[in-house]
Amino acid sequence: MPFVDKLAGTGSCRFAVAAMAAAVLPGLIAITGATTARAFSGVPVEQLAVPSPAMGRDIHVEFESGGTGSHALYLLDTMEAADDVNGWDRNTAAFDWFHGSGLSVVMPVGGMSSFYSDWYQPAVGNGQTYTYKWETFVTQELPAWLSTNKNVASNGDAVVGASMGGSSALDLAAHHPQQFIYAGSMSGFLNLSQGPWPGLVHIAMQHDGGFDSNAMWGPASDPAWARHDPTVNVSTLAGNNTRIWVYCGNGSATPLDANTANAGGLGALEGFAIDSNRSFQNAYLAAGGHNGVFNFENGTHNWAYWGQQLQQMKPDLQRVLAAKPATT
């Protein structure tokens, strides 16, 4: 069984914005650099162009079928989400791991710095201007299209993400419990509306594409920040009995970091993130939640750990989503 850390969170100091900026940016640079070598899947992967009326364009989606009527595992990317390949495909063998699992694997491509949310204003960054309506796409347009065109079950799915995608996975599951009955967060930042976090999010978004957080959710005082804060909405996750899996490292490097550039920066980033994960856990238990796995251990902000966690999660995903693995 995964280790369950029940230590209380230590909280975040107000001066952390400046300190964290120094730690975050080198870490994010390292993550971006790590994605230059794509881990091409050894199994067939479909490249879909899924219409999004909300965003006014087709969205690239990588897809592997789990069979007729199968439920889906949606894998959400980090803040560095590129427009060509989802980070889970580029940096892990997720498609290979779930081949024959009885689950369809769905990887939306793009959405840099989006937090997979519906923005107030156009998203100007990464050299382009986009309409960001990712929540509408992931929870309405994409499931409906997959149901019609790929024989995927229309609801009862799982959503799992890393870093930005981890926060987003819990957020989407809280607001769309019929669509996502399972949510997994890997090294997510789980109290986005609290203390220094709006400022940190803005700094990270400026670094990753030059986006403006005010175009996303307005100033820090806007209710949208609380609406997308997993800790603020933890009672909804607990009340809906959503199955959750929350992982975060403590910043200490392990042999998994042996070939990682700037492990120190990634460790500092992860060490800061774990406070928000512990706070989320405490709030979840206080709200009467009893359907969660909390796995806090040594590790940095690194795809190697997220891939390892996804593999550990696989049997649990199959159980909860009633997967019917292929027989040989």
Side-chain angles (χ1 to χ4, degrees):
M1 292 295 293
F3 170 62
V4 178
D5 190 328
K6 295 184 178 180
L7 296 175
T10 59
S12 300
C13 298
R14 292 186 179 277
F15 66 81
V17 174
M20 193 56 189
V24 167
L25 298 187
L28 294 180
I29 291 169
I31 294 172
T32 302
T35 63
T36 56
R38 177 177 176 180
F40 290 96
S41 301
V43 296
V45 175
E46 295 185 62
Q47 306 297 323
L48 309 177
V50 179
S52 172
M55 290 200 273
R57 62 187 189 277
D58 288 351
I59 304 300
H60 179 193
V61 176
E62 298 186 87
F63 176 75
E64 179 183 28
S65 176
T68 300
S70 60
H71 292 283
L73 166 62
Y74 287 66
L75 290 174
L76 305 184
D77 213 336
T78 67
M79 291 192 71
E80 299 79 29
D83 289 332
D84 58 346
V85 178
N86 184 293
W88 285 98
D89 185 22
R90 191 188 301 273
N91 298 290
T92 79
F95 281 119
D96 299 68
W97 298 334
F98 282 85
H99 184 68
S101 68
L103 297 175
S104 291
V105 179
V106 180
M107 297 188 190
V109 176
M112 178 182 286
S113 291
S114 68
F115 281 87
Y116 292 95
S117 62
D118 288 359
W119 284 34
Y120 282 153
Q121 299 172 8
V124 181
N126 198 28
Q128 300 183 56
T129 299
Y130 308 82
T131 295
Y132 268 2
K133 298 293 181 183
W134 282 98
E135 180 174 351
T136 296
F137 179 70
V138 171
T139 64
Q140 298 177 40
E141 296 173 339
L142 180 54
W145 192 93
L146 290 173
S147 177
T148 299
N149 295 278
K150 294 296 176 181
N151 296 311
V152 175
S154 59
N155 54 32
D157 298 324
V159 59
V160 175
S163 194
M164 174 190 84
S167 310
S168 302
L170 293 172
D171 174 36
L172 293 173
H175 293 290
H176 304 274
Q178 300 302 314
Q179 188 61 53
F180 296 120
I181 63 173
Y182 195 121
S185 171
M186 316 286 196
S187 305
F189 306 117
L190 303 186
N191 51 4
L192 293 172
S193 67
Q194 304 302 306
W197 283 101
L200 293 173
V201 167
H202 182 79
I203 291 170
M205 290 173 65
Q206 284 285 295
H207 180 265
D208 288 307
F211 294 93
D212 183 355
S213 64
N214 287 286
M216 180 171 69
W217 299 333
S221 58
D222 193 288
W225 285 89
R227 194 264 185 191
H228 292 285
D229 188 323
T231 302
V232 170
N233 296 296
V234 71
S235 60
T236 302
L237 290 166
N240 291 334
N241 202 34
T242 304
R243 178 62 167 171
I244 63 172
W245 184 298
V246 177
Y247 162 79
C248 191
N250 61 10
S252 298
T254 77
L256 288 178
D257 295 287
N259 297 316
T260 302
N262 194 22
L266 296 177
L269 179 58
E270 193 78 346
F272 192 82
I274 198 168
D275 278 355
S276 74
N277 281 257
R278 286 173 170 157
S279 295
F280 176 87
Q281 181 192 27
N282 292 336
Y284 179 78
L285 296 174
H290 58 272
N291 196 19
V293 173
F294 292 86
N295 191 5
F296 302 152
E297 55 192 34
N298 291 343
T300 67
H301 207 73
N302 188 329
W303 281 102
Y305 297 97
W306 306 334
Q308 183 182 72
Q309 283 293 307
L310 185 62
Q311 292 176 81
Q312 292 179 19
M313 193 187 303
K314 179 182 173 181
D316 199 52
L317 285 161
Q318 290 176 297
R319 176 185 63 83
V320 175
L321 273 60
K324 298 179 180 178
T327 57
T328 56

